[in-house]
């Protein structure tokens, strides 16, 4: 009699990852609400934030451009830290 196949181990929980469970749309919307498009374009100088900015155009660009997405996610994490410290 054969043993049943082993189930793969569960992926590690990401309790300490503040980006876990967030969509890119939620991140862009939160940044836009906090900073506004003009400041966002200054902090992350990419065209989709500078010229006729919108959430949809930003999402399209960020999904195709890993380096820009990393910058936006990094800014989001910075914003969260600043909010926790009582800044802005």
């Amino acid at each position: 009699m054969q043993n049943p196949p082993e189930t793969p181990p569960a992926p590690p929980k990401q309790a300490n990852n503040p980006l876990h469970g967030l969509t890119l749309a939620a991140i862009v919307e939160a940044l836009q609400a906090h900073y506004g498009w003009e400041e966002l374009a200054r902090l992350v100088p990419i065209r989709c934030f500078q010229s006729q900015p919108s959430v949809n155009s930003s999402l399209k660009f960020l999904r195709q451009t890993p380096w820009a997405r990393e910058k936006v996610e990094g800014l989001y994490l910075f914003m969260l830290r600043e909010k926790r410290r009582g800044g802005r």
Side-chain angles (χ1 to χ4, degrees), residues 25 30-33 36 48-49 62-63 70 76-78 80-81:
L31 288 171
Q32 192 278 326
C48 65
F49 292 162
L62 294 171
R63 287 182 179 131
E70 287 177 22
Y76 180 77
L77 294 174
F78 175 78
L80 291 180
R81 284 191 303 271

Side-chain angles (χ1 to χ4, degrees), residues 40-77:
L40 196 51
R42 190 184 70 73
L43 294 169
V44 183
I46 53 179
R47 193 172 299 141
C48 65
F49 292 162
Q50 297 170 340
S51 176
Q52 298 179 344
S54 72
V55 172
N56 285 338
S57 69
S58 300
L59 293 175
K60 184 175 181 179
F61 178 76
L62 294 171
R63 287 182 179 131
Q64 297 172 357
T65 316
W67 65 264
R69 182 179 181 145
E70 287 177 22
K71 286 185 176 280
V72 167
E73 289 173 346
L75 180 60
Y76 180 77
L77 294 174

